[in-house]
Amino acid sequence: MDRRPGPTNRTGLVLLGLVLAVAGAAALARGLGLFGDGRASAPVLGAGTHRFADGHGWFWPAVVAAAVVLALLGLGWLSAQRRAPKLPGLTLEPDASAGATHLSAKAVTSALESEIEEYPGVQSARARLLGSSRRPKVRLNVAYSRRADLADLRHRIDEEALRRLCGALERDSVPTVVRLRLVAADR
């Protein structure tokens, strides 16, 4: 099952953007007097709303509670954007009726990390397997020192480590994001 949040996020953001754009345009038009000069200088909340709020002590606490809930939902949504669904393992055979070989993601990423950490100048490597068994993806973070030859390091990651990974996973290619980070001193 591919649980990508992309299409849902785009739809939600488009709808939210349209609602906010319409509300903002209406507020701007009212403030500029396009609905009449009387409405431009009138308070946002009418007298009826003020009377209702004054007559019901729960009104403003309910407004605050609703705002807090919306803020928490927004923060939860925002934090969910940072987390990509981590793949726990892979099934190598496409046809499960003939049997299946399951490979843990930890085994795959540990082997990749160990190999890259042996390259000259590499301080550490962290790999994460994402996506699905049918379409695995790799996110790779490599910290290297000044003594590393960056062009050689990038070439070895691409031509050696990732090619071995593709062979082990029986794939022609595995989409990979490689982040290289220079660290100050050798350990």
Side-chain angles (χ1 to χ4, degrees):
M1 176 182 232
D2 194 8
R3 297 182 190 171
R4 291 177 295 170
T8 305
N9 285 340
R10 283 191 290 275
T11 303
L13 286 174
V14 165
L15 292 175
L16 179 64
L18 287 173
V19 167
L20 292 176
V22 168
L28 180 63
R30 180 180 172 164
L32 292 174
L34 295 178
F35 298 126
D37 290 334
R39 295 201 74 181
S41 59
V44 175
L45 297 177
T49 307
H50 279 289
R51 279 192 303 277
F52 182 81
D54 289 342
H56 298 86
W58 56 265
F59 180 77
W60 290 116
V63 169
V64 170
V68 168
V69 167
L70 284 174
L72 291 175
L73 286 172
L75 285 173
W77 175 78
L78 190 61
S79 69
Q81 303 312 302
R82 294 190 48 99
R83 293 187 305 260
K86 189 175 179 181
L87 187 61
L90 294 166
T91 302
L92 296 182
E93 282 82 14
D95 182 18
S97 64
T101 301
H102 297 284
L103 186 60
S104 80
K106 183 68 176 160
V108 173
T109 57
S110 293
L112 183 62
E113 291 168 358
S114 295
E115 179 177 350
I116 293 172
E117 286 174 347
E118 291 178 8
Y119 296 163
V122 172
Q123 296 292 324
S124 68
R126 295 293 168 257
R128 190 169 174 193
L129 202 55
L130 307 169
S132 65
S133 281
R134 291 183 182 196
R135 292 188 185 103
K137 300 172 189 170
V138 174
R139 190 170 293 162
L140 182 61
N141 294 311
V142 179
Y144 67 96
S145 67
R146 294 194 186 280
R147 69 183 181 93
D149 179 359
L150 188 56
D152 182 55
L153 175 61
R154 183 67 184 105
H155 178 76
R156 288 189 73 184
I157 290 171
D158 189 42
E159 295 298 320
E160 293 176 21
L162 293 178
R163 288 215 189 265
R164 256 189 220 101
L165 175 70
C166 290
L169 298 181
E170 300 172 348
R171 305 269 190 300
D172 293 331
S173 66
V174 176
T176 305
V177 174
V178 179
R179 293 185 181 131
L180 299 171
R181 182 175 50 95
L182 178 64
V183 292
D186 290 331
R187 292 182 194 169

